[in-house]
Structure formats: C-alpha cells, structure tokens
Amino acid sequence: MTATPVLSIRNASRHYQSGDSIVKALDDVSMDIMPGEVVGILGPSGSGKSTLLLIAGLLEPPTLGEVYIGGERVSYPDAMLEGLRSFRRHNIGFVFQKANLIPFLTALENVALALEIDDVTPRDARDYARWLLGSLDLAHRRNNLPKQLSGGEQQRVAVARALANDPRLILADEPTAALDGERGKQVIRLFRQIATEADASVAVVTHDPRVLSLFDRSYELRDGRIVKGHHPRQETA
Ligand SMILES: Nc1ncnc2c1ncn2[C@@H]1O[C@H](COP(=O)(O)OP(=O)(O)OP(=O)(O)O)[C@@H](O)[C@H]1O
Ligand SMILES: [Mg+2]
C-alpha cells in the first residue's frame, strides 16, 4: 500500500512574458512530497525555486501541468479563488523570502494572528504562539515590534507564524538565509519535529550547505528544470 502524497506537482511549467520573449521560469517539473517528509529545493539564483514554491503553495497557477493536494486536483477558475484562499489558510504554512511581518503588531501577536481563525480561541492561539516562539529561542522577544527585532529574529517569527495554523504542508523560501549555522539548523529541526509529530510535509528552498544533511532528500533545479535528486541523509551518515 502506498500513501498519498501531500503535494504532487505533475509536469508543471510557468511561463512569463518578458517583452517579446517568453521566460520559462519553470519547465515541465514533477515533484511529490509524502507525509512526514522534509525536502530541500536547491539551485542557483533564477533557477525557478521561488516559482516552484508559489505553485506548490497555490499562490500562482502553473501555465501548464497540474497540482494535487492530498490526491485532489487543484483547479484555478476565478470563482474558486475565495475557496483557494480559505484552503491555503487552513492547510498551508508559507514562509516568504522576506519576513513580511505586520509592523504594528508584536512578535507574539504576529504569530497568534495566524491562529485567530475559526475554531481556535484567542487564548489557545496565544499559548501556542508562545510555545512556537519559545522553541525558536524568542520567548524573551515576544513583546517586541518587528522593528525592534534583528533580521534573523524577524525571520524566525515568520517561521513561527507559518507553523501556527498546524499546516499539513509547510513551504519555506530561504528561511535560514539571515541565520547563523546553529539557528538555521534549529529552524529545520523544528520543521522536522512538526513533520514527525503532525505527519506534515515540508519543502525548503535553501542555498545553505550547512542544513543539507537535515533533509530526507532534495531536488536541484537549473533553468527551470529538475536536474537531479539527492538523498543527503543516506550519503552523509
Ligand atoms: N513575475 C515574473 N515576470 C517575469 N519573469 C519572472 C517573474 N518571476 C520570476 N521570473 C523569472 O523566472 C526565473 C525564475 O525566478 P525565481 O524567482 O523562481 O528564481 P529563484 O530560483 O527563486 O532565484 P533566487 O535564488 O534568486 O531567489 C528568473 O529568471 C526570473 O527572472
Ligand atoms: Mg527565490
């Protein structure tokens, strides 16, 4: 018996019109991520990593190809956009390449905000937000505004915010770029812990060689195509 991938991308391409020419930001890419997996997405600048993540996060439709979440095909007619937004809010945690925190809310409020939807009471939301910030060593900074935080601290608040709604799919675009080696590993380890405990799936775009050994496997992109897959956990025992 094989499990259903949390995320399955089939032959996806994303083309952008740029003047008279077409940029193939993504060119016939297929990718599966299974429950509990933590997968890296590597590749040089401009190779299509962020584009792939936006498609995986249902933030952009592929020009060609299909996306399946939990085995269900995602469709993108305009009439569905509100439904897609709600689905994303409940199921997908996204860490953007820039932290994008709300400037007039404290760290704790930024994290708890993602939780204050539907069935979570504000108090539980704040307790869980506090736990998330604590596991990223930010408990003492929780009442600071973003401008009172360092770049790396803001990035970790953005990670906590993406995890707040217990997403089954976590997508992170260079979440460790502003962090030192130990902090970077701490973020990936937290992803791993949540993947294991909640059977969530995680895809992380990174240039950081120090975290590669923490992934179950990784995909490498070049010019919009997947050129190879790695299994670093097996290679570097
Ligand atoms: N909205 C857009 N319009 C036109 N071209 C775009 C657009 N978004 C991305 N591209 C192009 O698509 C290619 C892939 O971009 P993408 O942002 O996915 O790269 P990346 O691998 O994330 O790079 P980086 O490591 O620098 O963040 C690039 O050549 C980029 O210029
Ligand atoms: Mg990018």
Side-chain angles (χ1 to χ4, degrees):
M1 205 183 74
T2 50
T4 308
V6 172
L7 170 70
S8 180
I9 293 180
R10 296 267 74 88
N11 305 102
S13 297
R14 175 76 203 191
H15 300 165
Y16 293 109
Q17 185 84 36
S18 175
D20 286 342
S21 58
I22 301 249
V23 180
K24 290 187 178 176
L26 215 59
D27 188 14
D28 197 23
V29 164
S30 295
M31 177 170 99
D32 287 318
I33 306 186
M34 305 306 290
E37 268 194 317
V38 183
V39 171
I41 298 174
L42 321 175
S45 181
S47 59
K49 305 180 299 296
S50 292
T51 305
L52 178 59
L53 223 58
L54 291 174
I55 286 175
L58 314 184
L59 290 159
E60 291 206 26
T63 310
L64 294 167
E66 291 112 49
V67 180
Y68 298 81
I69 303 271
E72 291 216 26
R73 183 170 171 184
V74 178
S75 60
Y76 300 86
D78 287 348
M80 289 277 299
L81 284 182
E82 193 42 52
L84 271 188
R85 257 195 288 278
S86 160
F87 180 84
R88 269 202 313 267
R89 225 176 25 235
H90 288 92
N91 294 284
I92 301 179
F94 207 102
V95 186
F96 290 93
Q97 211 163 349
K98 293 203 180 98
N100 288 321
L101 299 177
I102 297 174
F104 50 84
L105 298 181
T106 66
L108 186 68
E109 290 163 347
N110 263 282
V111 176
L113 186 68
L115 272 156
E116 286 171 13
I117 47 170
D118 300 347
D119 35 8
V120 184
T121 65
R123 169 144 196 140
D124 290 346
R126 289 172 84 88
D127 284 348
Y128 189 50
R130 212 171 268 133
W131 181 84
L132 283 168
L133 288 175
S135 38
L136 291 161
D137 288 340
L138 284 173
H140 60 306
R141 292 277 179 268
R142 67 172 178 267
N143 295 320
N144 286 25
L145 296 171
K147 68 176 180 205
Q148 301 164 326
L149 298 169
S150 74
E153 287 169 345
Q154 292 179 32
Q155 206 170 25
R156 281 181 284 150
V157 175
V159 167
R161 180 183 57 184
L163 299 174
N165 62 338
D166 273 334
R168 57 179 161 141
L169 178 61
I170 297 158
L171 303 167
D173 202 344
E174 305 204 32
T176 65
L179 305 180
D180 62 61
E182 252 333 287
R183 295 285 188 213
K185 284 185 187 159
Q186 182 182 42
V187 166
I188 308 294
R189 285 198 200 104
L190 179 60
F191 287 157
R192 160 84 50 209
Q193 182 186 345
I194 286 174
T196 305
E197 288 172 3
D199 233 12
S201 306
V202 187
V204 184
V205 170
T206 186
H207 287 286
D208 187 351
R210 292 166 301 194
V211 302
L212 291 187
S213 62
L214 302 175
F215 297 131
D216 293 310
R217 57 196 177 84
S218 38
Y219 292 98
E220 189 168 335
L221 285 172
R222 203 144 300 193
D223 297 327
R225 300 183 74 97
I226 288 178
V227 287
K228 56 183 160 183
H230 302 273
H231 293 83
R233 286 190 121 203
Q234 284 143 39
E235 283 159 21
T236 57

